[in-house]
Amino acid sequence: MKHIEECLTFIHDSSSMFHAVENVKKKCVNFIELSEGERWQLEKGKSYIVTRNHSSVIAFTIGKYMDDLAFNICASHTDSPTFKLKVNGEVEANHVLKGNVEGYGGMIMNTWLDRPLRLAGRVCIRRNGKVEEVLYDSKTAVCTIPNVAIHMNRKLNDGYVYNPQNDMMPLFSSTLKKGALKKRICEDLNIREEDYISSDLYLVIDEKGKVFGLQNEFFSSPKIDNLESVYATLIAFLNSTNERRVNIFAAFDNEEVGSNTKQGADSSFLEDVMRRIQKSLNYTYEEYLMSLVHSMMLSVDNAHALHYNHPEFYDANNAVYMNEGVVIKSNANQQYTSDAVSVALFTEICRKHEIPYQFFVNRSDVRGGSTLGNISTSHVSIKSVDIGCAQLAMHSSVECAGVEDIEHMIHACTAFYDSNLHEKDHQWEL
C-alpha cells in the first residue's frame, strides 16, 4: 500500500510527543511558523503552524477565496502510554543501576517486559546564560525490564498483578554507578553535566513497525494509538486544497492522562488559534460565532477491532474489523461526540467518495474509553464525529492494525477537508 512504510517511519521517528511535533513541522514545508507570544498578521492563501509546549501542534491553511469564515478541523493526539523517568531517576541496588520510573497513561504493563528500550523526550539545559529546550533520543537501546523467571514465580501465568514501583524498574547497567545515566545523556547532547537542568524523558520500545500477514494485510508497531491518526490526518491535510475554508490540523498532547493540561484538548489552544485567525482576518466576533454553525471537526483516535479470540467483549451488532473501513464511534453518554447529524454528514462524504466505513458501539454493560472530541467541543461548540482506524492490542507496548485502513482514513479526511459545509433551516449542503 502507498503510505504504510512512510507511516511506520513516522511512528518510529516520533519517539516522544515532542519528536512527533517536530516531525509534523518537518512535513509542513514552507508553512509560516507562528509564536503564541507574538502578534499574528495572517493572510488569505497562506499556511501557518504553531506549537504549544512543543508537544501539541496546530497547522492551518487559509483559503484564498474565502468570503465567510468557516473551519474544517481534524484532531488527534501525540501521546501514548509509557513510563516516565522520575526526577531522581537513578537507583543503585543489588549490584545494578536501575531506573526509577512511573506510569504515564493506562498501559498493559506486562507487554513492556523483556524488550530493548530507548530513552527519549526533552531536556532543559543551560546554554549561553539562557535555559534552552532540546530534544533527546538515546538512539540505541539503553535498558530493559526483565521478567522474574517462572522458576522463581510459579504463579506468573495465573494472573500476576504487576506493581509499578517494584516490577517495572528498568535495568541500565551492572557495572556503572549512580550518575552514569545523566552522564550518558550529557555526552549524547554534547553538554557539560553542570548544564543539565531538568527533563521529561520516557521509555520507548526500540523497535520499528513491520508489515505482516499471509497477504501483508496487517502491521505491528509501538504507538499505533494514536500516531497512525496523526500521520493519516496530516497527509490528508497536506493533500487537500480548499480555497474557501480554514483547514486545521490539530494534534494534542496528554489525551492518555485526561487532556486537562495547558497543551491538551481540554486547554484553550484550539479556541485561541481559531479566535486569533478570526481577529487577524478582520472578522467580527459575531461572524466567528456564525462560522461555528458551518464548521465541523473529525475527532480521530483509533478504535477497538473485534478480537477474534474474545468476541464476548463486543456488541456483535456493532463490532468492527481491521481493513474494513473507517470506524465511526458512538456512545449514548457522549463519551464520543458522534450524533445523528455529524454521522450523516460524514457518511455522506464517504458515500460520495466510495470510502468504506463501519460503526462501533460498546456492549451496554462495558464502559469504553473516551477521547479528545467531546473535550475539544466543550471549548469550541461545533459539530463533531469520532472516527478512527480499527486496531487490536490497544495500549500494549506494541499494537496491531490493518494496512488498508491507513489509506481509507487518508482518503476520508482528505475528502472532508475539501468539503464546504453550509447549514440553513436544518438542512446541510456539502
Side-chain angles (χ1 to χ4, degrees):
M1 302 296 280
K2 181 179 178 182
H3 289 96
I4 180 61
E5 288 302 329
E6 186 178 273
C7 179
L8 291 175
T9 298
F10 177 85
I11 292 174
H12 180 263
D13 292 345
S14 300
S15 47
S16 72
M17 54 284 276
F18 310 105
H19 291 82
V21 167
E22 191 65 24
N23 289 328
V24 168
K25 289 171 62 178
K26 288 178 181 177
K27 285 191 174 295
C28 291
V29 181
N30 298 325
F31 277 54
I32 300 167
E33 186 164 2
L34 302 169
S35 168
E36 287 196 280
E38 298 175 358
R39 293 186 182 277
W40 292 8
Q41 294 181 329
L42 309 179
E43 299 177 34
K44 293 180 180 180
K46 298 289 183 69
S47 300
Y48 301 89
I49 189 167
V50 61
T51 67
R52 181 175 287 187
N53 190 52
H54 291 170
S55 62
S56 293
V57 58
I58 293 177
F60 58 94
T61 59
I62 302 174
K64 187 182 297 185
Y65 305 114
M66 282 175 46
D67 294 322
D68 300 321
L69 185 64
F71 301 90
N72 290 349
I73 306 168
C74 285
S76 57
H77 65 88
T78 59
D79 61 321
S80 301
T82 181
F83 291 89
K84 184 180 182 182
L85 191 70
K86 291 183 180 179
V87 175
N88 295 308
E90 297 180 67
V91 178
E92 281 186 68
N94 301 315
H95 296 267
V96 301
L97 178 66
K98 64 179 182 178
N100 190 8
V101 299
E102 60 181 329
Y104 174 91
M107 77 292 293
I108 304 175
M109 279 198 284
N110 66 354
T111 65
W112 283 82
L113 299 170
D114 306 319
R115 293 182 180 273
L117 302 170
R118 305 200 316 274
L119 195 65
R122 67 175 172 185
V123 178
C124 288
I125 65 173
R126 188 179 298 107
R127 187 165 4 225
N128 299 324
K130 300 177 181 178
V131 174
E132 183 178 335
E133 178 185 342
V134 295
L135 294 179
Y136 177 76
D137 190 327
S138 64
K139 299 296 186 182
T140 60
V142 292
C143 61
T144 191
I145 308 173
N147 243 310
V148 174
I150 192 72
H151 312 77
M152 307 300 175
N153 185 357
R154 296 287 181 180
K155 295 183 178 180
L156 195 60
N157 292 326
D158 296 335
Y160 182 74
V161 178
Y162 290 90
N163 183 302
Q165 185 65 48
N166 297 330
D167 295 314
M168 307 309 292
M169 302 294 105
L171 171 67
F172 281 103
S173 178
S174 63
T175 56
L176 299 177
K177 302 299 182 182
K178 186 176 180 179
L181 176 58
K182 179 180 177 180
K183 181 179 179 181
R184 163 66 185 270
I185 294 169
C186 292
E187 288 174 350
D188 289 344
L189 294 174
N190 195 27
I191 62 169
R192 302 177 303 172
E193 288 187 52
E194 55 264 37
D195 290 331
Y196 178 108
I197 304 174
S198 59
S199 64
D200 293 312
L201 295 175
Y202 302 86
L203 298 185
V204 184
I205 302 295
D206 188 34
E207 175 182 326
K208 185 176 180 181
K210 295 179 180 177
V211 175
F212 72 97
L214 293 179
Q215 293 186 306
N216 290 326
E217 63 263 54
F218 309 115
F219 68 99
S220 173
S221 172
K223 299 175 179 282
I224 291 175
D225 172 24
N226 192 37
L227 291 184
E228 179 184 15
S229 299
V230 174
Y231 172 82
T233 55
L234 177 61
I235 298 303
F237 171 73
L238 296 175
N239 287 345
S240 62
T241 52
N242 193 329
E243 298 290 8
R244 299 190 178 280
R245 291 258 157 168
V246 178
N247 277 353
I248 294 179
F249 162 88
F252 299 105
D253 189 12
N254 304 132
E255 190 276 342
E256 299 293 358
V257 292
S259 296
N260 56 344
T261 59
K262 66 182 181 298
Q263 61 273 358
D266 202 14
S267 72
S268 62
F269 190 24
L270 178 60
E271 183 181 17
D272 290 346
V273 170
M274 293 171 66
R275 288 292 307 278
R276 293 182 79 162
I277 293 170
Q278 163 243 316
K279 185 174 181 180
S280 186
L281 295 179
N282 296 315
Y283 290 100
T284 66
Y285 179 58
E286 184 173 16
E287 287 172 321
Y288 168 75
L289 295 178
M290 291 164 57
S291 78
L292 301 183
V293 175
H294 309 295
S295 301
M296 185 169 171
M297 182 173 75
L298 305 185
S299 169
V300 190
D301 197 357
N302 275 4
H304 297 287
L306 184 136
H307 197 294
Y308 55 94
N309 286 332
H310 291 284
E312 69 274 13
F313 294 144
Y314 304 81
D315 181 336
N317 295 310
N318 291 284
V320 296
Y321 306 88
M322 293 181 290
N323 292 317
E324 295 193 17
V326 176
V327 177
I328 301 169
K329 302 184 285 185
S330 299
N331 176 262
N333 293 312
Q334 288 298 288
Q335 294 292 100
Y336 304 124
T337 58
S338 308
D339 60 21
V341 172
S342 63
V343 168
L345 296 173
F346 180 71
T347 55
E348 277 299 283
I349 291 172
C350 290
R351 184 187 63 81
K352 287 182 179 180
H353 294 84
E354 299 182 340
I355 302 164
Y357 57 87
Q358 49 188 331
F359 293 96
F360 174 82
V361 186
N362 274 302
R363 281 179 57 99
S364 302
D365 54 358
V366 173
R367 182 182 180 275
S370 62
T371 185
L372 52 87
N374 56 351
I375 295 172
S376 295
T377 54
S378 69
H379 294 269
V380 180
S381 299
I382 59 176
K383 286 174 286 295
S384 176
V385 60
D386 272 278
I387 63 173
C389 294
Q391 72 163 86
L392 292 173
M394 189 177 289
H395 287 200
S396 173
S397 67
V398 176
E399 301 166 319
C400 168
V403 168
E404 293 182 21
D405 288 327
I406 297 175
E407 308 297 328
H408 297 321
M409 182 60 74
I410 292 173
H411 193 185
C413 292
T414 303
F416 165 73
Y417 274 129
D418 288 340
S419 66
N420 291 289
L421 175 68
H422 185 79
E423 187 271 337
K424 186 175 181 180
D425 298 329
H426 301 289
Q427 293 183 324
W428 291 266
E429 294 180 8
L430 290 169

